[in-house]
Amino acid sequence: MTRAHGALLLALCTVSLSARAETLNGALLRAYDNSPLINSGRAGVRALDEKVPQALSGMRPRANAGAFLGVQDNRAVTRQFDIDLRDPQIRAPTKSIQSGQSVPRAANLTIEQPVFDGFKTANAARMAETGVFAGRERLRLTEQRVLLNAVSAYINVLRDTAALKLQENNVAVLTEQLRQTRERYLAGQITLTDIAQAEARLAAGKSLVGQARAALEASIGAYRQTIGDEPRKLAPGAPVDRLLPKTREDVERIAQAEHPVILAALHDADAADLDIKVIEADFMPKLSVVGNLFTQTDVAGIYNRNISASVGARLNVPLYEGGLTSSQVREAKEVAGQRRLDADVARADVIALVRANWGALQAAKTQISAAQTQIAAAERALYGVREEAKAGQRTTLDILNAQLELLNARIGLIFAQRERVVASYAVLASMGRLSTETLHLAASQYDPAVHFDRVKDLWGGITTP
């Protein structure tokens, strides 16, 4: 590697925006810990966990209590005829009025324990668990995207900083070239046309500096958005080839078995099959045991009281519901077929993603090798053109073009180095293995099963664990 190559790599690998150094793994860890997207996904999975106890509640007892309390005004009017015992023919009409107030009250307690529901609860619980597993896979996908975006943001800052340094150095070289061109003009060696060419190239170089600075500012903004902080002194970002298989076929095989998009689609298909069984349960009879305790006082009159208790079985046999359940079953079967097709689509998408990322990785390797060769040749060409120009065999435009070719070659190497690193992480993500565990980051791993185990068997309570 030439001296210029080493300077180029140094420019790519050291970005000094503050005194404290930052590594790629450190940036990935901070992105993982602080990402609102990941935290939002975790909350969504925790919400899915609650679907399991909701489904299991179908076979748990239900208790309802009721009470009545009021004020009642009682008024009784009695009309009768009193018979004179001495003369039975004599009847005297009399009327008596009785009035009073009472406080009628009643209470009842009903407990129902389902015994058989056509296996609806069991299938609904299995369906809810399958939905939880699908949610976990989608959370893994979110984590992969956040980590890959963090890699891109980190390497983009390195790339754009190095590109800006090259453009600024090019302006300095063009400024010196313009000074030398004016001296040669004063010496009568060249014409005003050469000066105009040098001035035009310098103006173009200053414009490219402005563009490079704007690109760096955009990359710094993306870095802050993804990582959560301003970039500091960034250490080199290396590819992760050690974690990748040797062949594309091995990558595809692993992706088919582990990629979260495929696994989530398969869980969705399983959940759709279980949904059919849940709906079909509505065709089956339902049996439950019902207990009832009832008491009332002063309801029909003063000082009366009634207490009753009963236990019985309730059987509900569906006969015809207007075709609603039948339509729901047909709909669920179509949805299940759609979910199986979605799984096939997911497999095809992942294979296409693997091949695109693998191809980008191989292309980046080739581009780096070609760019290094191009830089070495461009450096020799520039040296030769300058020496020939001293002898009057080359023009100022030849020198400027040679400088531009060398600049483009160096920038091409920077971009190829960026693609090399990011593409290696992209291949790892397309396998479904881009995670803090695979990268051996010192992170406290979030385990969604912890929350699931705490809530799946809860019978009550409104406080989140």
Side-chain angles (χ1 to χ4, degrees):
M1 181 179 295
T2 66
R3 182 178 179 182
H5 295 173
L8 179 60
L9 291 176
L10 181 63
L12 178 61
C13 297
T14 55
V15 181
S16 298
L17 296 181
S18 91
R20 191 174 64 175
E22 176 75 282
T23 65
L24 178 55
N25 282 349
L28 293 179
L29 183 57
R30 285 198 291 146
Y32 177 82
D33 289 336
N34 303 326
S35 172
L37 288 176
I38 293 179
N39 291 328
S40 174
R42 291 171 179 172
V45 173
R46 291 194 295 269
L48 284 176
D49 292 342
E50 297 294 345
K51 298 294 183 181
V52 176
Q54 292 172 17
L56 292 174
S57 67
M59 288 298 290
R60 291 172 180 170
R62 295 173 177 81
N64 294 287
F68 172 80
L69 178 64
V71 177
Q72 181 173 298
D73 187 10
N74 301 308
R75 181 180 179 87
V77 179
T78 304
R79 294 178 180 274
Q80 64 182 11
F81 290 91
D82 295 334
I83 299 176
D84 192 339
L85 296 178
R86 292 173 297 177
D87 186 358
Q89 299 298 324
I90 300 176
R91 297 183 177 183
T94 61
K95 180 174 71 171
S96 63
I97 300 176
Q98 295 179 346
S99 62
Q101 289 186 339
S102 63
V103 181
R105 49 200 181 274
N108 69 285
L109 174 65
T110 301
I111 300 177
E112 181 176 1
Q113 172 60 60
V115 177
F116 179 74
D117 66 349
F119 308 106
K120 183 172 186 176
T121 296
N123 288 319
R126 292 171 57 196
M127 177 182 171
E129 289 181 357
T130 304
V132 170
F133 298 149
R136 292 180 186 177
E137 295 301 328
R138 292 188 171 92
L139 176 60
R140 278 211 308 133
L141 181 63
T142 299
E143 292 174 350
Q144 286 200 155
R145 288 173 176 171
V146 169
L147 291 176
L148 186 57
N149 289 340
V151 171
S152 297
Y154 187 98
I155 302 300
N156 286 349
V157 172
L158 287 174
R159 177 200 64 191
D160 293 338
T161 302
L164 176 60
K165 289 181 178 180
L166 285 177
Q167 295 292 355
E168 290 175 342
N169 180 70
N170 181 58
V171 168
V173 171
L174 291 175
T175 300
E176 175 62 20
Q177 180 66 42
L178 177 59
R179 185 190 66 79
Q180 294 178 3
T181 301
R182 287 172 175 168
E183 289 181 351
R184 294 177 62 192
Y185 171 75
L186 293 177
Q189 299 176 357
I190 56 177
T191 66
L192 288 174
T193 302
D194 296 273
I195 295 178
Q197 290 172 340
E199 290 175 342
R201 195 61 59 89
L202 176 60
K206 291 180 179 180
S207 174
L208 292 176
V209 167
Q211 295 178 17
R213 185 173 290 109
L216 176 60
E217 289 298 327
S219 295
I220 292 175
Y223 183 99
R224 180 177 179 82
Q225 178 186 24
T226 306
I227 309 300
D229 199 359
E230 293 289 335
R232 298 178 175 88
K233 183 180 180 182
L234 303 187
V240 286
D241 291 351
R242 69 188 186 282
L243 303 176
L244 303 180
K246 299 300 182 182
T247 65
R248 189 199 69 197
E249 289 73 17
D250 290 336
V251 176
E252 293 178 359
R253 176 180 52 80
I254 295 172
Q256 289 285 334
E258 300 183 18
H259 199 283
V261 168
I262 296 177
L263 297 181
L266 293 175
H267 286 309
D268 288 340
D270 292 339
D273 291 335
L274 290 169
D275 189 36
I276 297 174
K277 298 180 179 180
V278 171
I279 299 174
E280 288 177 340
D282 291 337
F283 288 123
M284 305 181 70
K286 309 294 188 299
L287 178 64
S288 61
V289 177
V290 181
N292 188 60
L293 179 63
F294 177 78
T295 178
Q296 62 178 10
T297 304
D298 293 347
V299 175
I302 301 176
Y303 304 124
N304 63 17
R305 186 176 185 183
N306 180 27
I307 299 177
S308 66
S310 63
V311 177
R314 177 181 295 164
L315 178 65
N316 180 26
V317 181
L319 298 178
Y320 182 67
E321 297 180 358
L324 174 62
T325 304
S326 300
S327 176
Q328 290 174 336
V329 170
R330 295 193 301 270
E331 177 188 13
K333 289 181 178 179
E334 294 295 342
V335 172
Q338 180 187 17
R339 295 293 178 265
R340 287 189 290 271
L341 294 174
D342 289 343
D344 293 336
V345 172
R347 291 189 184 95
D349 289 344
V350 168
I351 290 298
L353 180 65
V354 166
R355 296 191 175 186
N357 291 334
W358 183 267
L361 177 60
Q362 303 309 313
K365 293 178 180 179
T366 303
Q367 290 170 1
I368 289 176
S369 178
Q372 290 173 342
T373 303
Q374 183 182 3
I375 289 174
E379 288 176 341
R380 293 194 303 270
L382 177 59
Y383 176 79
V385 168
R386 284 175 174 170
E387 292 300 317
E388 292 172 358
K390 293 178 182 179
Q393 298 177 353
R394 293 285 183 171
T395 65
T396 301
L397 182 59
D398 292 331
I399 298 175
L400 295 175
N401 288 338
Q403 290 174 347
L404 182 60
E405 288 183 4
L406 177 59
L407 173 65
N408 291 337
R410 288 173 173 172
I411 292 178
L413 177 59
I414 290 173
F415 277 74
Q417 289 171 330
R418 183 265 180 196
E419 295 299 325
R420 174 78 172 81
V421 176
V422 175
S424 67
Y425 279 90
V427 171
L428 189 63
S430 64
M431 294 166 53
R433 290 186 176 180
L434 181 55
S435 65
T436 57
E437 183 179 4
T438 303
L439 297 175
H440 303 293
L441 301 181
S444 55
Q445 298 294 328
Y446 177 81
D447 186 2
V450 173
H451 180 269
F452 177 78
D453 292 337
R454 290 179 178 177
V455 302
K456 66 178 181 179
D457 294 321
L458 290 180
W459 284 50
I462 60 174
T463 302
T464 56

